[in-house]
Amino acid sequence: ALVSFNTSKIISVISQTANFSTSPPPLLGASEDTINAIYSFDQESSYIRMIDAADAVVCSSYWNNRNANTPELFSLGYFAPIETNDPFFLDTSYEGVGTNIGIRGCTPGA
């Protein structure tokens, strides 16, 4: 959908553990098959298609550290690893950028 808005780069910010809530769909009457089609890591789910479509995926651990103070939260976001194959993001001195960081939920197929 973002591509249709003429976005030049798509960046997804994801939790390293992908601890997003899957509780709303059942409350709305979604079946187990529908929930898997959205959230599964093991198939062509909406989630996997989203990270595949992104030019870069920022894998923050912010969600694992909600009790951290402001400087810690800034550090978690700023120094988060970034998965990308896009030369725009790879051409940097930022050490956290890579083409296969291997974090489940951030790296397609990991």
Side-chain angles (χ1 to χ4, degrees):
L2 292 173
V3 175
S4 64
F5 288 112
N6 294 321
T7 56
S8 60
K9 300 290 180 190
I10 299 171
I11 301 171
S12 294
V13 179
I14 304 295
S15 168
Q16 282 190 13
T17 57
N19 282 335
F20 44 77
S21 175
T22 58
S23 56
L27 295 175
L28 299 171
S31 69
E32 190 68 31
D33 288 341
T34 300
I35 294 167
N36 284 334
I38 297 170
Y39 295 110
S40 174
F41 290 161
D42 301 321
Q43 62 184 12
E44 188 64 18
S45 68
S46 297
Y47 179 80
I48 295 300
R49 289 171 44 198
M50 182 262 311
I51 64 172
D52 281 344
D55 296 297
V57 179
V58 178
C59 295
S60 174
S61 60
Y62 164 79
W63 290 270
N64 301 335
N65 298 283
R66 290 187 182 186
N67 294 323
N69 61 37
T70 302
E72 287 173 313
L73 290 177
F74 177 80
S75 179
L76 291 170
Y78 188 81
F79 296 107
I82 299 173
E83 170 89 22
T84 187
N85 287 311
D86 190 307
F88 176 83
F89 297 103
L90 290 170
D91 186 24
T92 180
S93 61
Y94 183 73
E95 293 180 16
V97 176
T99 58
N100 189 6
I101 59 174
I103 298 174
R104 185 168 168 85
C106 296
T107 300

